């Protein structure tokens, strides 16, 4: 599961806007906007969520779920080390 806060934080770590994450995940900008305006856990169809999580992971983002090892507990995101440049698709 991913929350709206995690998505916004992940975009901030990658220094990308909504259009760029939409392109990376092969989703529409309105879909990303709806996801980010969610309260708590993002509610979307499974295919869209899988595309989003996969795109974030490919860009070097590690989603931290409750109970996962972290210094302060709770949810969050972490940028993996040794990620040179996230691969983005060009907009045509």
């Amino acid at each position: 599961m991913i929350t709206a806060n995690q998505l916004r934080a992940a975009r901030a770590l990658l220094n990308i806007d909504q259009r760029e994450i939409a392109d990376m995940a092969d989703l529409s900008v309105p879909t990303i906007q709806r996801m980010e305006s969610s309260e708590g856990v993002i509610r979307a169809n499974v295919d869209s969520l899988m595309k989003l999580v996969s795109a974030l992971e490919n860009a070097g983002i590690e989603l931290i779920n409750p109970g996962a090892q972290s210094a302060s507990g709770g949810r969050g995101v972490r940028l993996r080390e040794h990620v040179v440049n996230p691969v983005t698709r060009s907009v045509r």
Side-chain angles (χ1 to χ4, degrees):
M1 291 190 282
I2 180 173
T3 67
N5 287 339
Q6 284 176 303
L7 176 52
R8 287 189 298 271
R11 280 197 313 101
L13 284 173
L14 295 172
N15 196 30
I16 60 175
D17 62 20
Q18 290 177 332
R19 178 166 301 284
E20 290 171 292
I21 191 61
D23 289 341
M24 289 168 61
D26 196 27
L27 297 170
S28 69
V29 174
T31 296
I32 297 298
Q33 290 170 335
R34 279 191 301 276
M35 288 176 168
E36 288 194 357
S37 67
S38 298
E39 291 292 325
V41 174
I42 293 173
R43 295 192 176 147
N45 70 52
V46 174
D47 185 52
S48 294
L49 287 172
M50 295 304 293
K51 286 180 177 181
L52 175 65
V53 169
S54 178
L56 291 172
E57 288 176 349
N58 289 338
I61 294 295
E62 179 182 344
L63 297 170
I64 305 167
N65 290 312
Q69 188 174 8
S70 69
S72 62
R75 291 186 180 270
V77 294
R78 176 184 301 143
L79 185 60
R80 285 192 315 261
E81 292 185 39
H82 310 297
V83 175
V84 180
N85 286 319
V87 178
T88 58
R89 296 179 346 159
S90 60
V91 179
R92 295 179 189 201

